[in-house]
Amino acid sequence: MPKDPTAAGSLRDRQKAQTRDDIVAAMLEALAAGDLERVTHDALARRVGVARQTVYRHFPDRESLMRALWERVNREVSAQGLPGDEAALADQIGPLYANFDRVADLITVTQSTPQGRAMRMSVKDQRAKAFRAAAAAATEGLSDKEATQAAAVLQLLHGGQAWIEMRQQWGLSGEEAAQACAWAVRTLLADLHARRGRSLTDAAGTPAR
């Protein structure tokens, strides 16, 4: 009976996907151990047990390695991804911070080491675009600079650095920090809508009573 070429192709695809996952998992282990700076294509090949050409085939350069690692970290802490609309700016913080608590050591490393910062910077443009789009209705009428400032503050409240500061400085749990940050996000969005494009340097957008 002839072999099914489709089945063989499917098996190869699964093997390729598994090898890619193994490489990223090895990077994740190195990041958690604080060894990411010493992780090279050759080191990953030895750790995973594959040829160095295999690692290069999946990840041609270090930037692609960092991007894949950041995507894996994001899957570890958030199944929701980047916020897609204004409601998600506040609603995603609770589940996100709860997961930060679950993998606290990993998140601390991503925020406090040069390697972690390099990993986060690999998706800087993608992240900025998502937050600008999610806040677009609230920032309508603002200058491009001020819309960027508003999106930057919203992104900060949504991220690991705010969680770390509240955890280390104030002893807040992920749930407590998330409640505070979600309140701050909703307050900022309400102000942005109320000011209807008036500059951020003006008085608060909510009219005085």
Side-chain angles (χ1 to χ4, degrees), residues 194 198 203-209:
R198 285 194 298 113
T206 304
R209 294 181 180 178

Side-chain angles (χ1 to χ4, degrees), residues 129-157:
K129 183 178 179 180
F131 277 88
R132 282 292 299 265
T139 58
E140 185 177 2
L142 293 178
S143 68
D144 185 68
K145 178 181 178 180
E146 291 195 330
T148 297
Q149 290 173 322
V153 173
L154 292 166
Q155 187 263 317
L156 177 65
L157 292 167

Side-chain angles (χ1 to χ4, degrees), residues 88-167:
L89 289 169
D91 294 345
Q92 287 186 2
I93 295 178
L96 184 64
Y97 277 30
N99 279 332
F100 284 173
D101 275 357
R102 182 175 57 83
V103 289
D105 290 345
L106 176 61
I107 299 304
T108 300
V109 169
T110 67
Q111 296 290 326
S112 61
T113 66
Q115 299 77 33
R117 286 191 290 273
M119 179 186 66
R120 289 186 289 111
M121 290 297 286
S122 70
V123 292
K124 179 185 73 169
D125 293 342
Q126 177 186 350
R127 184 168 54 243
K129 183 178 179 180
F131 277 88
R132 282 292 299 265
T139 58
E140 185 177 2
L142 293 178
S143 68
D144 185 68
K145 178 181 178 180
E146 291 195 330
T148 297
Q149 290 173 322
V153 173
L154 292 166
Q155 187 263 317
L156 177 65
L157 292 167
H158 207 269
Q161 198 59 51
W163 169 83
I164 285 178
E165 186 66 16
M166 292 186 177
R167 174 187 174 92

Side-chain angles (χ1 to χ4, degrees), residues 25-96:
M27 288 193 294
L28 189 62
E29 291 173 2
L31 175 65
D35 294 333
L36 189 60
E37 187 175 5
R38 293 190 293 274
V39 171
T40 63
H41 283 70
D42 286 342
L44 283 170
R46 290 192 297 271
R47 187 184 288 247
V48 177
V50 297
R52 67 192 299 268
Q53 292 86 351
T54 299
V55 181
Y56 275 104
R57 192 178 306 123
H58 287 281
F59 305 104
D61 50 38
R62 191 164 180 82
E63 181 180 347
S64 61
L65 280 169
M66 293 298 101
R67 188 162 53 248
L69 181 55
W70 180 244
E71 291 169 356
R72 176 63 175 268
V73 170
N74 273 341
R75 287 202 300 272
E76 287 285 327
V77 299
S78 175
Q80 305 167 91
L82 293 167
D85 54 35
E86 190 172 304
L89 289 169
D91 294 345
Q92 287 186 2
I93 295 178
L96 184 64

